Amino acid sequence: MRPEVDRIAQPWGDRTPYGRGETWPLRVDSYLEPGATADAVERWVPAASLLHSNGDAMDVAVAHGRIVGVRGRPGDRVNRGRLGPKDLFGWQANQAEDRLTTPLVRDGGRLVPCGWDTAMDRIAARTRELLDESGPGSIGFYTSGQLFLEDYYTLTVIARAGIGTNHLDGNTRLCTATAAEALKETFGCDGQPASYSDIDHADVVALFGHNMAETQPVLWMRVLDRLEGPDPPRLVCVDPRLTPVARRAAVHLAPRAGTNVALLDALLHEIIRTGRIDRDFVEAHTVGFHELTERLSDCTPAWAADICDIPAGKIVEAAEIIGGAERLLSTVLQGVYQSHQATAAACQVNNLQLIRGMLGRPGCGVLQMNGQPSAENTRECGANGDLPGFRNWENDAHVKDLARIWNVDPSRIPHYAPPTPALQIFRYAEQGSIRMLWITGTNPLVSLPDLHRIRDILGQERLFTVVQDLYLTETAQLADVVLPAATWAEKTGTLTNADRTVHLCEKAVDPPGQARPDLDILLDYASRMDLCDKDGHPLVGWHDAESAFEAWKECSRGRACDYTGMTYERLRDAGGIQWPCAQDAPDGIERLYTEGIRWAAPDDCETYGKDLVTGASVSETEYRALNPGGKAVLKAAEYVPPHETTDETYPLQLITGRTLYHFHTRTKTGRTPQLNAAAPQMWVEISAAEALRHDVAEGDLVEVTSPRGSVRGRLRITGIRDGTVFLPFHYGYWDTPAGHRPGAQGARAANETTITDWDPVSKQPLFKTAAARLTLVERSDGTVSPAPTTTASAPVDPHKVPPTVGGPAAVARQSGGAL
Ligand SMILES: Nc1nc2c(c(=O)[nH]1)N[C@H]1C(S)=C(S)[C@@H](COP(=O)(O)OP(=O)(O)OC[C@H]3O[C@@H](n4cnc5c(=O)[nH]c(N)nc54)[C@H](O)[C@@H]3O)O[C@H]1N2
Ligand SMILES: Nc1nc2c(c(=O)[nH]1)N[C@H]1C(S)=C(S)[C@@H](COP(=O)(O)OP(=O)(O)OC[C@H]3O[C@@H](n4cnc5c(=O)[nH]c(N)nc54)[C@H](O)[C@@H]3O)O[C@H]1N2
Ligand SMILES: [Mo]
């Protein structure tokens, strides 16, 4: 990479074009802090990105015991040397001055520093009291998609077999619960069918509610390089915003938010009507085609055009591209997963692939994407509402098998009901049945919907909360015990990206102060609690990351996510390896389902499924009758309008999401100078027509109000569809001046406005379907909106706003939190 390329102004860097079926060329990106040179680097330590799900492999540069930069790993299958802006700059947050360096406990209403023994003893004592008084159901664990596999597996064993609680879930519920659920509904089991290398072979790539350019920028570089090369693919983009993906699409459909199912039903209808289906594939590998066809008979493009508010001709055009594809790759993310018919819509994308026979071949498949770096591990390890190794909680043989591995009685593992989803855990805490909540690696006081309510729940006296984090986040400020964690590059472990590639991240430097790796904290708790198996041996029989990995391998043996062919040694030598990886396929398997559907048979499947509209469970008997041969299930779904619709008081559809430069609640990217300067403060997006209707202009301070609450930000006029307002959800309160507080006029966390509601099937909350109004607070005095210009928030009139750059100009523009 040319060093003079400003990777804030040009997030995707230079192009390295390539043709269909060719190998993606190498390009090595790196960033060293000012003053550091490659010669002065003492060690390069392997890792993969922790700020999204793409799994970009990199080496961390260490000099004098400090991280001084990063460099992409050219040999790795995922990124072939490339890094995105967050990968390049985000590591600086590890060195922030306000890292937590000692445990804190609440004494007399205040959090005060203490030693590890005091903090851990307090947690163990409270656990014992509650177990005695109220039993395991009074204890809940809410974890993350940002720790390592070894952490989740250990937490799962502790929570499920040690404490015996069913209340363990991850923030992956907000993130990839629908990806998991859609894969389970269609293929009987979780597991990403496709591979990133399918981008090299596809002639059509369809992106549904996925702003890949901003959220997986390195994957987008691969798409851009194909677009610039010979025989480029055509893109279909479904997104109400004019994202960088939409700008490069052959067809951009910008539907009303929450209408994905209507649109997908029409696409399926049109493809079936015109006979562009692979009948042999459908016959050999699926059940349910007849029902699907019947259900779709009235779902014409004209019908959907009305619901989605897009021209019928455009839907036909998209159906022609998808229907005519030789090699079709589809990707799905939050524009689908965070709406009221999330699983229903995601399954229709699976159906598109199946009826066209586009599965298990190069260039053909679906990426039901993940978001967080290790969301996949949360799912595999059973820390996300499933049993480890994609086992079925309703199948006694699966529970028995797990009990054998853990050497406990099957009755020790709660399986009387599905594992409790996150929002239900908070509901139990609200009602008072959950009395202790241990939060690891997530910041619910900014990231959960309907923050007023979450603040009340976590603020309760009677709820004992433990927060394990790197910083004193909004959530940590309300905790009873705060545990300082070591993070990426300060601890060792593995993470698995969205295309099943496993990377080893090794410890490069010491954590600050007394901060400890998450795994060590969990092992300490297991030992203080004296958790034992049925022979009286320690339940958690491992002592470090590598031995935890070895234990997990046994749990994964023979399952879809088989890790038994991997070792730390092999990951060190080979870089990323995809699962399944067993002795018979030591290099991993690139695509699932190359020889038919493997995990949907009634005895093997992870779930018997649910009704896509109501979420009601399908019984084992029904499933055996429906799918005796273990094929893929083509599940139909009828469109149901969003629960909260617009009206005179709340005339705009409210959607929320991300920008390229920030990660979630900004605990890391807000502490990274280049990234924070690129997007320093909250903003609000509407279209030019909507601005005219509201008599507001670029840079005006506006307020967005929903039935739950309001937030303020400066207005940016973008190419978003009319009738829609977009809020980035990154901005909380840890770095705002005193006036900007929830409830006060300066509230800025988008989740003040979002609704307590979820998809009935995956239980994923709805961050992208609600109603709101917009009002003017104060005209701009010439100040422009702080929104980036390089992204979906690009202004319609580029002359009015200075471009986002990463040099001194951007730093000067940094407003440091003032609106
Ligand atoms: N820069 C950056 N990258 C990230 C993250 C980050 O915070 N910052 N987070 C990571 C994580 S955890 C995740 S989950 C992913 C998320 O990655 P994405 O899903 O790509 O990101 P979002 O911005 O949440 O939503 C994507 C798009 O959905 C569109 N959308 C909204 N409503 C609808 C609808 O009804 N239908 C359709 N079709 N589209 C709709 C929005 O306009 C938005 O452009 O990103 C990962 N990568
Ligand atoms: N309105 C709206 N809300 C949303 C979304 C949306 O699109 N719109 N998206 C949702 C999605 S997809 C997601 S994934 C969530 C994300 O929501 P959160 O997970 O709550 O957001 P993060 O800021 O990533 O919080 C992670 C926390 O873990 C800490 N951390 C980082 N590394 C480590 C580590 O190694 N160990 C420990 N112990 N802690 C660590 C960080 O400092 C941070 O406080 O937000 C959801 N909320
Ligand atoms: Mo996510």
Side-chain angles (χ1 to χ4, degrees), residues 344-360:
C347 284
Q348 303 319 306
V349 179
N350 293 341
N351 291 348
L352 268 180
Q353 297 296 139
L354 289 168
I355 65 168
R356 297 234 50 237
M358 297 282 173
L359 195 70

Side-chain angles (χ1 to χ4, degrees), residues 86 211 215 239 241 258 260 334 658-660 662 664 768:
K86 284 190 278 101
N211 185 5
T215 58
D239 195 309
R241 297 167 77 209
N260 293 310
Q334 302 308 354
R658 299 167 161 74
T659 191
L660 191 142
H662 279 303
H664 300 167
K768 291 184 173 42

Side-chain angles (χ1 to χ4, degrees), residues 622-691:
E622 287 168 318
Y623 187 77
R624 284 186 186 278
L626 167 80
N627 194 18
K631 297 183 178 184
V633 186
L634 290 165
K635 282 198 170 183
E638 73 190 272
Y639 167 71
V640 178
H643 307 162
E644 185 165 276
T645 47
T646 53
D647 57 22
E648 274 163 27
T649 321
Y650 302 106
L652 296 171
Q653 282 201 306
L654 168 71
I655 59 176
T656 63
R658 299 167 161 74
T659 191
L660 191 142
Y661 302 101
H662 279 303
F663 186 63
H664 300 167
T665 74
R666 286 171 60 256
T667 65
K668 290 182 175 171
T669 53
R671 290 175 170 89
T672 303
Q674 298 85 346
L675 298 173
N676 201 44
Q681 178 53 287
M682 181 63 178
W683 73 89
V684 176
E685 289 175 26
I686 57 172
S687 71
E690 215 54 66

Side-chain angles (χ1 to χ4, degrees), residues 50 144 146-147 171 174-175 334 338 372 440-444 446-448 468-471 473 485-488 491 518 656-658 663-668 729 750-751 754 764 767-768:
L50 198 71
S144 182
Q146 301 171 41
L147 308 182
N171 65 359
L174 326 181
C175 182
Q334 302 308 354
Q338 293 176 337
Q372 292 173 90
T440 42
T442 179
N443 188 10
V446 182
S447 59
L448 280 182
Q468 188 167 318
D469 205 293
L470 318 182
Y471 312 99
T473 60
T487 188
W488 180 93
K491 63 177 200 176
D518 294 283
T656 63
R658 299 167 161 74
F663 186 63
H664 300 167
T665 74
R666 286 171 60 256
T667 65
K668 290 182 175 171
F729 87 102
N751 281 322
T754 49
Q764 183 159 346
F767 293 112
K768 291 184 173 42

